[in-house]
Structures are given as structure tokens and as C-alpha cells.
């Protein structure tokens, strides 16, 4: 439901979009700072190996159900490193 609220609030006050963008940028920085490092031992004594650092699959169907647009889903996939499966827009030129 967050997508609906963000879209609605943005229509009412476009500055909300800037606040959301700042929040997302902040969360990205925090996640990067807290990201485990290969070979590091976490607080539970588990050594971080490659299998524990793998990125989970992107739930495309769930994002579409949450009213993300296809362009928004494509951007999420690109940012997650799935560029090879994101359709490329045709140029329509000669």
C-alpha cells in the first residue's frame, strides 16, 4: 500500500517525492555500511561465505501486484545487476 500512498501524497504535494528519495538514499547508505564482508565473522559467530552473501531473487510479480510500473520494476532489476534480463527499448530508427 505504500506505493499508493506515495503516489497520492506526491499528487497532493510534489515535495514528498524529494523526501522519499532522500529516505531511500539514506537507507541505501546505511545498508552498504552494514553489509557483511566475505570472510568476516558476524555477532553470532558465523563466518560470512559466498552462499550467505548472495542477493535474493527479485519478486517481480509481487512488485507488479504492489502497483509498481513495469519501468519501475525494470529499474529495480537493473540496479540489482540483472541488466541482461531487462528488455531494451527499441530505438525505432534506421
Amino acid at each position: 500500500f505504500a506505493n499508493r500512498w506515495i503516489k497520492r501524497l506526491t499528487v497532493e504535494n510534489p515535495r514528498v517525492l524529494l523526501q522519499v528519495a532522500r529516505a531511500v538514499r539514506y537507507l541505501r547508505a546505511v545498508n552498504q555500511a552494514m553489509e557483511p564482508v566475505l570472510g568476516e565473522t558476524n555477532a553470532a559467530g558465523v563466518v560470512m561465505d559466498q552462499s550467505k552473501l548472495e542477493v535474493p531473487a527479485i519478486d517481480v510479480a509481487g512488485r507488479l501486484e504492489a502497483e509498481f510500473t513495469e519501468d519501475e520494476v525494470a529499474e529495480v532489476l537493473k540496479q540489482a545487476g540483472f541488466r541482461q534480463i531487462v528488455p531494451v527499448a527499441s530505438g525505432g530508427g534506421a
Side-chain angles (χ1 to χ4, degrees), residues 13-64:
N13 180 2
R15 290 180 153 218
V16 167
L17 193 55
L18 293 173
Q19 294 171 330
V20 170
R22 277 196 302 267
V24 168
R25 192 176 312 121
Y26 174 76
L27 287 173
R28 183 178 297 141
V30 169
N31 282 333
Q32 286 175 346
M34 301 296 289
E35 195 171 84
V37 177
L38 190 61
E40 183 178 70
T41 302
N42 70 12
V46 176
V47 176
M48 295 293 107
D49 63 19
Q50 191 60 42
S51 68
K52 292 176 180 60
L53 298 178
E54 291 176 5
V55 177
I58 304 293
D59 182 6
V60 172
R63 288 182 187 252
L64 291 171

Side-chain angles (χ1 to χ4, degrees), residues 1-12:
F1 297 108
N3 253 356
R4 289 182 188 173
W5 277 105
I6 290 170
K7 289 176 183 177
R8 178 179 169 192
L9 292 172
T10 301
V11 168
E12 294 172 7

